[in-house]
Amino acid sequence: MGGDDGWNFRGKGLIQLTGRDNYSKANVFTKKYENVDILANSDLVAHDLKIAVLSSMAFFVFRKINIKANGTKNVINDICPLVGNNVTLAGGKTNHKEKQDAFDKYTSVVFQVDKCLWGKLDNALKYMDGRAPWMDIAVNLAKEMKGCKEGIEPMYSNAKKFLKYCGNNFEPTDGKNGPWCAAFMNWTIGQTINPITNEPYKHAKSDASLAPTSNSKLYKKISEPIFGCIVVYKHISKWKGHTGFLFGKTKNRLYILLGGNQDNTIRFDSYGEYTSKSKLKKLYGFYVPYDYTISEKDYLTESDIYEDSNSINVNFGITGGIGTGQTT
């Protein structure tokens, strides 16, 4: 045992987890849900809220302390958000009210951890296997950006890269000339490989959100939306709109789009027939790359239905609060 073990395993996290023995027991529980080793990196308990929550749950499990759910509405969907790196927990500069609020919210359903939305999303990621291969790239990039805005690194460089891929040298922060929703879509598809042609699936190197509507050799319109399809909204009077990938639907049947330039970042937002109350951008159609072969597994099932789009952002660590749905 190293000489600094005492310091490494000092009280940290929501419940001041202390000592190698307690960390070891918590590690067994935590590894069921996250592929991390808190014995090798004990600071995760202090700086990663998801790990802090799991390790605190573990403490109550191995101590056989029963905590009853508090009956809060939608508590299962709300239990496991990743709220970013700005949370200060025990072991750092502790904000006691923040720590208490987090503790109260999460440990109330400690024995229902398998029902947390993060488990559903983990299953959703596994369910993506073999469906719309560009979605794996899009989801991972969204998780990596964590809601970072287009004018800030690393989102800025990525948005700039998407635009350059489409021959647009304007700034992504230029709302008139630099909207990058379509550039993100086409760049993402451009990173995939069609196993039949051994080339990326067909797409236009275009930053025009309406590109799928006028390129019948590159995209095909479909009557029924499928997972990962391109959803196109068209402005009622101008040659512009919005586009994103379909991730699923909300319980009230709104389309959940994983899109670029949504609230100036990459995130999940839900839209109906229009993108906003102003009703300027109306749903135009659903598209897939022309050479993508649709199979039965691509069609939406109950596994693709979520409470709302923001719960997906929260659980994927995409910060920034509830989205406005802004598309420019």
Side-chain angles (χ1 to χ4, degrees):
M1 186 178 295
D4 61 351
D5 272 356
W7 175 251
N8 287 339
F9 303 115
R10 66 194 183 280
K12 291 194 290 283
L14 299 178
I15 59 169
Q16 297 281 335
L17 188 68
T18 306
R20 172 181 277 274
D21 184 55
N22 285 334
Y23 273 79
S24 296
K25 292 175 181 177
N27 202 35
V28 173
F29 180 87
T30 301
K31 279 187 171 181
K32 293 178 181 178
Y33 306 98
E34 285 290 289
N35 185 28
V36 298
D37 185 350
I38 63 174
L39 291 179
N41 185 4
S42 62
D43 283 342
L44 287 172
V45 176
H47 301 300
D48 185 318
L49 185 55
K50 188 174 181 180
I51 301 304
V53 170
L54 285 169
S55 61
S56 68
M57 289 178 175
F59 180 84
F60 286 92
V61 170
F62 67 70
R63 286 295 185 93
K64 296 183 172 59
I65 302 172
N66 185 28
I67 299 179
K68 296 182 179 179
N70 61 11
T72 303
K73 184 180 180 181
N74 294 328
V75 70
I76 296 301
N77 288 334
D78 292 336
I79 180 171
C80 306
L82 293 170
V83 297
N85 296 323
N86 295 324
V87 175
T88 48
L89 303 170
K93 182 179 179 182
T94 306
N95 181 321
H96 291 288
K97 182 180 185 304
E98 189 176 51
K99 185 178 74 170
Q100 186 62 48
D101 289 345
F103 181 86
D104 289 344
K105 182 175 183 180
Y106 303 122
T107 57
S108 62
V109 285
V110 60
F111 296 114
Q112 300 185 59
V113 64
D114 288 315
K115 297 180 182 179
C116 294
L117 185 56
W118 80 48
K120 180 175 181 179
L121 291 173
D122 285 343
N123 289 334
L125 292 180
K126 294 175 183 176
Y127 188 52
M128 279 166 42
D129 186 35
R131 306 167 92 198
W134 49 87
M135 288 298 282
D136 184 53
I137 298 169
V139 168
N140 284 327
L141 189 55
K143 291 167 65 178
E144 181 183 341
M145 292 302 100
K146 298 181 180 180
C148 179
K149 300 296 184 181
E150 62 190 19
I152 304 172
E153 294 292 3
M155 189 68 259
Y156 171 79
S157 291
N158 277 280
K160 187 77 171 177
K161 174 178 65 178
F162 306 150
L163 289 171
K164 283 189 174 182
Y165 181 80
C166 297
N168 184 331
N169 291 315
F170 285 98
E171 292 296 309
T173 51
D174 185 330
K176 182 179 180 180
N177 300 300
W180 47 276
C181 62
F184 164 71
M185 173 196 74
N186 282 310
W187 178 89
T188 303
I189 296 175
Q191 310 312 301
T192 65
I193 294 295
N194 181 335
I196 297 176
T197 65
N198 203 33
E199 295 180 350
Y201 282 94
K202 289 188 179 298
H203 64 288
K205 288 190 176 181
S206 169
D207 64 345
S209 56
L210 301 183
T213 72
S214 57
N215 289 274
S216 59
K217 293 183 178 180
L218 298 177
Y219 310 90
K220 55 188 174 186
K221 191 172 185 178
I222 56 178
S223 58
E224 182 179 350
I226 63 171
F227 179 83
C229 72
I230 302 159
V231 184
V232 175
Y233 284 83
K234 185 181 182 299
H235 196 282
I236 59 174
S237 62
K238 300 177 182 179
W239 183 250
K240 66 177 184 178
H242 180 62
T243 186
F245 296 122
L246 184 65
F247 187 79
K249 290 183 179 181
T250 66
K251 287 187 175 180
N252 57 353
R253 300 299 168 178
L254 297 177
Y255 299 108
I256 300 176
L257 301 194
L258 171 55
N261 206 30
Q262 290 178 181
D263 269 359
N264 299 321
T265 188
I266 303 171
R267 58 175 285 133
F268 297 86
D269 283 300
S270 53
Y271 305 97
E273 185 179 2
Y274 298 91
T275 62
S276 66
K277 292 181 180 180
S278 66
K279 296 186 176 181
L280 293 177
K281 296 178 183 177
K282 185 177 180 179
L283 181 64
Y284 190 86
F286 309 102
Y287 298 81
V288 293
Y290 187 81
D291 55 346
Y292 182 71
T293 302
I294 298 174
S295 64
E296 192 64 32
K297 63 189 173 188
D298 291 311
Y299 291 98
L300 301 182
T301 70
E302 286 302 311
S303 295
D304 299 302
I305 307 300
Y306 297 87
E307 187 71 28
D308 54 53
S309 57
N310 193 56
S311 59
I312 302 175
N313 289 314
V314 168
N315 284 273
F316 276 152
I318 301 172
T319 58
I322 296 175
T324 66
Q326 178 184 345
T327 58
T328 55

